[in-house]
Amino acid sequence: MQHLLARADWDADAVRDDLIRYVAEHLGHADGVLVADESGFLKKGTKSAGVARQYSGAAGRIENCQIGVFLGYTTAKGRALLDRELYLPKEWANDAQRLKEAVVPAAVGFATKLVLARRMIDRAVAAGVPARWVTADAVYGSDYHFRVAIEKHGLGYVVGVRADFAVCSGLRQVRARALLGEVPADAWHRLSCGQGAKGPRLYDWALLRTNSPEPDEYARWLLIRRSVCDPSEVGYFACGGPPGTGLSELVRVAGARWAIEDLFELAKGDCGLDEYEVRGWVGWHRHVTLGLFALAVLAVIRARAARPTKGKKGGRG
């Protein structure tokens, strides 16, 4: 296994490209949603490529860890992780000795998590992955360049933003939280954004149209989510897409983001995504790529098993 991950002659990026094609072929659907997110890999020591004291969503706190940025894909047929990038902190990018010891390729420089996510979306689009939407949390959604890159691909988006997100509405610019009090009582709609462990994820939702350069071609909205149990618990989403898009569709896409959390859990629990004993850049990408491919194969098997059996004439269904 160590030979396969560290010394054998094969290209992890080429296998990643095969993975993208495999998922697109077996799980692809025109209404597909691309999901950008990150996951932490707890590590001891200072030698593993990209390891540093940084926030890990998996741990919920700052830990000594590596951070991988991932691109998920979810459709009515199934869900899988398409792509991966190891985040290299600035302290690594400026340390030639550490880069050499971890065998980080010379072409790899510092790139923010936002840039890594955009690169993966670019690759998915270039590979022809059927998708209509992109979703992500506020780490990505609050970035203007991230949203514009999605628009340039002709994709819609429903991305989390912070409460102080600036919204252009009519002739004024206001913060998202300031619009909350302007929502009429009859503009709230109780909808489910998908199934959770305890049943449908029900929230109250309101949708406000915001300014867009070409509103007849590509519209923008602010989507507000309010907890049913605690109305003070509010979330905000910047949205963009076809002008005729309805509230229920935007809510569906917002709920698709939870899919990647389930995928991380499955990948680590069933496919050993975080169970590696390699330190180098190449070894990390090889192990994680194989883990994602194993996850994709399981997703395809599940999708096939879920299909209704077609009965033959005169036989059993």
Side-chain angles (χ1 to χ4, degrees), residues 41 70 81 264 267-269 271-276 287-288 291-292:
F41 300 80
F70 294 84
L81 291 169
F264 287 148
K268 292 180 178 181
C271 303
L273 189 70
D274 57 347
E275 297 175 8
Y276 52 85
H287 176 92
V288 169
L292 299 191

Side-chain angles (χ1 to χ4, degrees), residues 72-100:
Y73 180 62
T74 176
T75 73
K77 295 182 179 180
R79 55 183 64 169
L81 291 169
L82 288 179
D83 206 343
R84 75 294 176 266
E85 289 278 4
L86 178 60
Y87 172 66
L88 197 67
K90 283 186 177 180
E91 63 194 74
W92 269 83
N94 298 324
D95 192 330
Q97 184 60 35
R98 293 183 85 183
L99 294 174
K100 181 179 179 181

Side-chain angles (χ1 to χ4, degrees), residues 1-2 5 39-44 48-51 64-68 70 86 268 271-289 291:
M1 181 59 70
Q2 288 297 324
L5 296 179
S39 187
F41 300 80
L42 301 183
K43 287 292 167 185
K44 295 181 179 179
S48 298
V51 70
N64 197 64
C65 64
Q66 295 168 296
I67 297 293
F70 294 84
L86 178 60
K268 292 180 178 181
C271 303
L273 189 70
D274 57 347
E275 297 175 8
Y276 52 85
E277 297 181 2
V278 293
R279 290 180 174 178
W281 178 272
V282 172
W284 187 91
H285 283 86
R286 288 182 170 187
H287 176 92
V288 169
T289 302

Side-chain angles (χ1 to χ4, degrees), residues 23-46:
V23 173
E25 177 184 353
H26 294 283
L27 301 179
H29 190 278
D31 285 337
V33 181
L34 297 170
V35 190
D37 204 355
E38 61 196 62
S39 187
F41 300 80
L42 301 183
K43 287 292 167 185
K44 295 181 179 179
T46 61

Side-chain angles (χ1 to χ4, degrees), residues 133-156:
W133 299 95
V134 175
T135 187
D137 64 19
V139 172
Y140 303 89
S142 295
D143 183 76
Y144 171 78
H145 299 289
F146 181 79
R147 301 192 306 276
V148 168
I150 296 171
E151 291 189 12
K152 288 182 178 179
H153 281 308
L155 299 171

